Amino acid sequence: MQAFRIETTGAEPRLCNLDIPEPGPGQIRVAIKACGLNFADLLMQKGTYQDTPPAPFTQGMEIAGLVDSCGPDVTHLNPGDRIAIYSGQGGLAEYGVFEAARAIPMPDSMSFEDAAAIQITYGTGHMALDHRAQLQPGETLLVTGAAGGVGLTAVEIGKLMGATVIAQARGSEKLEVARKAGADHLIDSSEDLRMRVKELGGADVVYDAIGGDVFKAAFRATNPEGRLVPIGFAGGEVPQIPANHLLVKNLTVIGFYIGGYLNFRPEIVQQSFQTLFQWHTEGRIKPHISHTFPLTEAARGLQMLRDRTATGKVVITI
């Protein structure tokens, strides 16, 4: 089988030929049909992601496909079942072996591409805004990097939860994508973020995927008792948070990393994904997939994430 592998940390990944793996106890082998790409995949190539596996490993964090075979002790799944898995690695391959407990049955109406695109971006947005920030109807949500994978889903989920959504992104094309996802107010990244948000009444919840100066500006535009959720640092700088300002405005900065829940409360992830799949069945959410590529062009898809030329998700079909 073919797999897109990192053989040495820091080296460029490449397509390799590997033996098809066999599932062990509690595992399933999946014939992978689609894999979503994420900014974390780029960090793994450099070895800077918090959950980077030891090299060599196959990239690809979220997959959808068909159960190909079941290992011992797996009784709730059968070959041919359509499933999605937040795998963390191993998705950019024709086959993969994964823990059966992580598999979620896919609705018949859901495509493999949608299932691969929903898990991390929508799961991050849903769990961060609902479980962690406890966003309430009528509150104002500021989303930075609002046309990217995790940002765009936060816009959509924020509207579903009854918030007024302010979207910040770069350029009219990306802002239009955010508007179509439900954003009430649009701010170009060339504008003064703090001033514009303050003019709109300030933010009660901030969902920030950029970091750096963008986080600093959003921090200063947050209302008293506001909550800030730093999701990522696509701008390259991890912001330093002035604790004295937290006290003055009674602000809360909330740590959130969806992968961590797989280790200490995996049921929260499962519940979130089940909710999202139900929303998809009801037509309430639809992932925005800007590009799909075959496995042989996985590097091209990752380069689009690196260049920030994609809107929404990039999905590799296998």
Side-chain angles (χ1 to χ4, degrees), residues 117-138:
I118 278 178
Q119 296 170 69
I120 292 179
T121 52
Y122 278 91
T124 295
H126 181 249
M127 291 179 63
L129 295 177
D130 182 51
H131 181 68
R132 296 294 284 145
Q134 298 183 20
L135 178 68
Q136 299 299 308

Side-chain angles (χ1 to χ4, degrees), residues 31-289:
I32 301 169
K33 300 299 181 183
C35 179
L37 298 185
N38 294 274
F39 189 77
D41 291 310
L42 300 177
L43 300 179
M44 284 189 188
Q45 292 179 4
K46 297 185 293 184
T48 58
Y49 188 59
Q50 59 262 32
D51 272 349
T52 301
F57 67 93
T58 298
Q59 288 205 269
M61 300 177 67
E62 53 186 338
I63 68 150
L66 299 172
V67 175
D68 186 64
S69 66
C70 299
D73 305 326
V74 176
T75 58
H76 66 291
L77 295 169
N78 296 290
D81 287 352
R82 304 172 78 246
I83 53 93
I85 298 179
Y86 175 14
S87 59
Q89 60 173 299
L92 290 175
E94 293 176 297
Y95 292 90
V97 166
F98 309 102
E99 296 301 316
R102 290 194 181 187
I104 299 175
M106 286 173 50
D108 292 339
S109 60
M110 181 181 285
S111 69
F112 291 117
E113 291 82 3
D114 279 4
I118 278 178
Q119 296 170 69
I120 292 179
T121 52
Y122 278 91
T124 295
H126 181 249
M127 291 179 63
L129 295 177
D130 182 51
H131 181 68
R132 296 294 284 145
Q134 298 183 20
L135 178 68
Q136 299 299 308
E139 290 190 312
T140 296
L141 168 67
L142 168 62
V143 180
T144 68
V150 294
L152 195 62
T153 56
V155 171
E156 196 173 352
I157 289 169
K159 283 303 294 181
L160 282 172
M161 294 178 67
T164 297
V165 180
I166 304 171
Q168 185 245 23
R170 180 186 302 170
S172 58
E173 181 180 346
K174 290 187 175 182
L175 287 171
E176 177 61 16
V177 171
R179 185 192 66 78
K180 289 181 178 179
D184 300 285
H185 305 285
L186 306 174
I187 300 176
D188 193 277
S189 59
S190 63
E191 300 180 75
D192 186 322
L193 180 64
R194 180 198 177 203
M195 182 184 71
R196 290 280 285 110
V197 174
K198 294 288 281 185
E199 289 174 350
L200 294 169
D204 300 305
V205 174
V206 173
Y207 182 97
D208 174 51
I210 306 300
D213 290 339
V214 171
F215 180 89
K216 294 174 187 176
F219 186 95
R220 298 176 69 189
T222 304
N223 291 330
E225 294 192 327
R227 291 90 72 202
L228 299 99
V229 188
I231 292 298
F233 316 108
E237 179 188 342
V238 177
Q240 303 303 302
I241 298 165
N244 57 324
H245 291 186
L246 292 176
L247 275 71
V248 170
K249 293 170 68 175
N250 290 285
L251 302 179
T252 302
V253 179
I254 301 171
F256 175 75
Y257 165 51
I258 187 172
Y261 277 87
L262 291 173
N263 297 321
F264 64 89
R265 292 198 67 187
E267 74 278 5
I268 298 294
V269 181
Q270 298 285 88
Q271 291 165 11
S272 176
F273 286 1
Q274 288 165 2
T275 296
L276 294 169
F277 282 14
Q278 182 62 36
W279 283 358
H280 183 278
T281 299
E282 296 169 354
R284 301 176 70 187
I285 61 173
K286 172 68 176 175
H288 174 77
I289 300 172

